[in-house]
């Protein structure tokens, strides 16, 4: 693909994702619709991807970093930034907890998630691939101690045979956000230490 074709393809995708933009000589940013309807919209949210986009646009730069909306490894990314991991946690806690049901095999916020379906889908929002099952994700990521874990990292419950049977997103302290079961659905709750708990990260 030539550089000109690649440029126009990227421009087309950018217009589709963020709406029409008008960068006037005074460098004011006008926007016809939100950048990403699925990310947090609360003013208290750090919204790091929006900050990066606005900073680049207002500075008049050509390159703009936006989350890639994908259901799988659309690019070769295997790691997530700390701020994007935090956005994944924020989305799970404030947009999905108490609102999205648990569905076995679910991988869609419109219909429901299971535990690893939720973590996989959220990371894919930032172009980062995770395997499908909790155990596959456990073996895919880098394990860390709890002291090194940050919100948005992964929490795994591991059985006596060393297999991860459940996971969620670390929320800080002794809390996590997970798709637990049909009785609790997506919830923000305390980590259960009755099973072995292992923390994992895909942060840079």
């Amino acid at each position: 693909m030539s550089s000109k074709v690649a440029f126009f393809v990227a421009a087309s995708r950018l217009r589709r994702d963020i709406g029409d933009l008008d960068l006037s000589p005074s460098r004011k940013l006008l926007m016809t619709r939100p950048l990403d309807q699925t990310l947090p919209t609360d003013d208290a949210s750090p919204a790091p991807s929006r900050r990066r986009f606005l900073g680049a646009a207002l500075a008049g730069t050509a390159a703009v970093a936006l989350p890639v909306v994908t259901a799988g490894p659309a690019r070769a990314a295997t790691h997530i930034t700390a701020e994007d991991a935090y956005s994944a946690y924020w989305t799970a806690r404030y947009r999905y907890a108490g609102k999205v049901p648990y569905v076995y095999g679910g991988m869609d916020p419109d219909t429901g998630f299971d535990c690893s379906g939720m973590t996989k889908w959220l990371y894919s929002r930032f172009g980062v691939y995770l395997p499908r099952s909790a155990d596959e994700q456990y073996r895919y990521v880098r394990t860390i101690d709890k002291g090194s874990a940050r919100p948005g990292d992964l929490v795994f419950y591991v059985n006596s045979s060393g297999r991860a049977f459940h996971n969620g997103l670390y929320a800080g302290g002794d809390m996590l956000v997970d798709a637990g079961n049909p009785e609790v659905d997506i919830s923000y709750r305390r980590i259960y230490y009755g099973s072995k708990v292992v923390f994992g990260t895909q942060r840079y």
Side-chain angles (χ1 to χ4, degrees), residues 9-71:
V9 169
S12 175
R13 289 176 178 168
L14 184 61
R15 288 178 66 85
R16 180 197 63 198
D17 288 343
I18 65 176
D20 294 327
L21 300 178
D22 177 16
L23 297 179
S24 67
S26 60
R27 291 179 179 173
K28 292 181 179 179
L29 177 65
L30 303 177
M31 172 177 318
T32 60
R33 61 186 173 90
L35 292 181
D36 187 344
Q37 296 286 355
T38 68
L39 292 178
T41 55
D42 191 296
D43 288 340
S45 165
S49 296
R50 289 196 183 96
R51 284 206 308 271
R52 285 200 303 277
F53 170 75
L54 293 173
L58 294 174
T61 61
V64 177
L66 289 173
V68 175
V69 180
T70 175

Side-chain angles (χ1 to χ4, degrees), residues 88-109:
Y89 145 73
W90 188 279
T91 301
R93 178 175 175 182
Y94 292 102
R95 291 189 69 86
Y96 298 160
K99 302 170 186 175
V100 176
Y102 174 92
V103 173
Y104 181 76
M107 294 181 60
D108 188 331

Side-chain angles (χ1 to χ4, degrees), residues 134-136 138-139 156-165 196 198:
D135 190 61
E136 288 171 336
Y138 173 53
R139 299 177 190 287
F156 297 94
Y157 292 94
V158 181
N159 63 22
S160 58
S161 65
R163 183 179 180 83
F165 59 89
K196 180 181 179 180
V198 179

